[in-house]
Amino acid sequence: MKLTIKDIQGTTQGELEIKFPVVEDGSGTQAVHQAVVAQRAAGRSGTACTKTMGEVAGSGKKPWRQKGTGRARAGSFASPLWRGGGVVFGPKPRSYRQKIGKTVRQVALRKALSERIKSGDVTVLKDWTMPTPKTKEFTKVLAALDVQGTVLFVVPALERNLALAARNLPGVEFITASTLNTYEMLRFDRIIITEGAFAQVEERLAKA
């Protein structure tokens, strides 16, 4: 499988042979699901917290005597039945992280990248740097590459001028090749990878 290489003017500059093993149709779907669920679960803060009956501040005094008042029996102001009382089986701080194997992560990323390439959503861009952080110049590059909708730029390393030029554009995000993951691969309408970044991604996928 080959990918067309383009420059910032949208002109074809050659082809790139894909070296990593492409995942065939019907394989790797479960790995993608596990990777996406784990990625999203890791983003949960897990800080929800409620107080149990024993943690509610207040006196341990019995509200009223057991018999003779005509009211229902009550043993504590912290009762879960009372307003301001404790919570039964309420949430406590916890980690939602899910552990998945390295092989599963590799298969998931290969599967996601393979499907996006087959769908024509991936563009390989010749390496370039912006001399000045001009949003106007960056939008010209997007127009030349016929980018519509959201787009993920995969670069070898984050550059200040690129980040400044794109930060005011909605739906445009940057990520390095070393941190590219399955969830980000599926979240955007288009994926633009520079030549240098694609080589790094291939190196990662070749270590399966």
Side-chain angles (χ1 to χ4, degrees):
M1 187 180 294
K2 295 183 178 180
L3 280 171
T4 302
I5 304 174
K6 294 188 177 182
D7 58 18
I8 58 174
Q9 285 79 35
T11 306
T12 300
Q13 297 294 323
E15 290 186 332
L16 180 69
E17 184 72 33
I18 297 176
K19 299 177 182 177
F20 68 86
V22 177
V23 180
E24 299 298 330
D25 294 336
S27 302
T29 304
Q30 181 62 29
V32 170
H33 174 74
Q34 290 179 354
V36 171
V37 170
Q39 179 78 16
R40 300 197 66 184
R44 299 183 66 176
S45 60
T47 56
C49 182
T50 56
K51 291 184 178 182
T52 65
M53 184 173 171
E55 294 170 334
V56 174
S59 169
K61 179 183 176 182
K62 187 174 174 66
W64 49 77
R65 66 179 188 268
Q66 183 80 347
K67 295 178 177 291
T69 65
R71 289 178 288 186
R73 292 171 293 184
S76 172
F77 289 102
S79 169
L81 303 178
W82 286 34
R83 181 176 180 270
V87 178
V88 180
F89 304 126
K92 285 292 185 181
R94 54 165 291 191
S95 172
Y96 288 92
R97 291 185 178 275
Q98 298 183 15
K99 188 174 182 179
I100 60 174
K102 180 179 178 181
T103 302
V104 175
R105 289 199 304 270
Q106 290 276 29
V107 172
L109 185 58
R110 279 209 310 271
K111 173 68 173 180
L113 182 55
S114 300
E115 292 300 322
R116 296 310 299 268
I117 290 174
K118 292 176 185 177
S119 301
D121 300 327
V122 178
T123 301
V124 177
L125 185 67
K126 286 192 71 68
D127 293 324
W128 109 100
T129 57
M130 293 194 68
T132 56
K134 298 290 185 181
T135 303
K136 184 177 181 180
E137 297 300 321
F138 188 78
T139 54
K140 289 181 180 178
V141 175
L142 295 180
L145 296 174
D146 192 27
V147 173
Q148 297 177 357
T150 58
V151 58
L152 177 67
F153 274 83
V154 185
V155 293
L158 294 179
E159 296 183 14
R160 182 175 182 273
N161 286 348
L162 276 175
L164 291 176
R167 67 179 177 178
N168 289 331
L169 298 176
V172 178
E173 291 188 22
F174 284 86
I175 194 172
T176 61
S178 60
T179 58
L180 181 64
N181 56 72
T182 305
Y183 178 59
E184 297 297 334
M185 184 69 67
L186 301 175
R187 199 163 63 90
F188 295 84
D189 298 324
R190 286 281 300 277
I191 299 169
I192 297 178
I193 308 180
T194 64
E195 276 189 286
F198 194 83
Q200 291 183 14
V201 173
E202 284 191 316
E203 185 178 353
R204 283 180 58 190
L205 297 179
K207 296 178 180 179

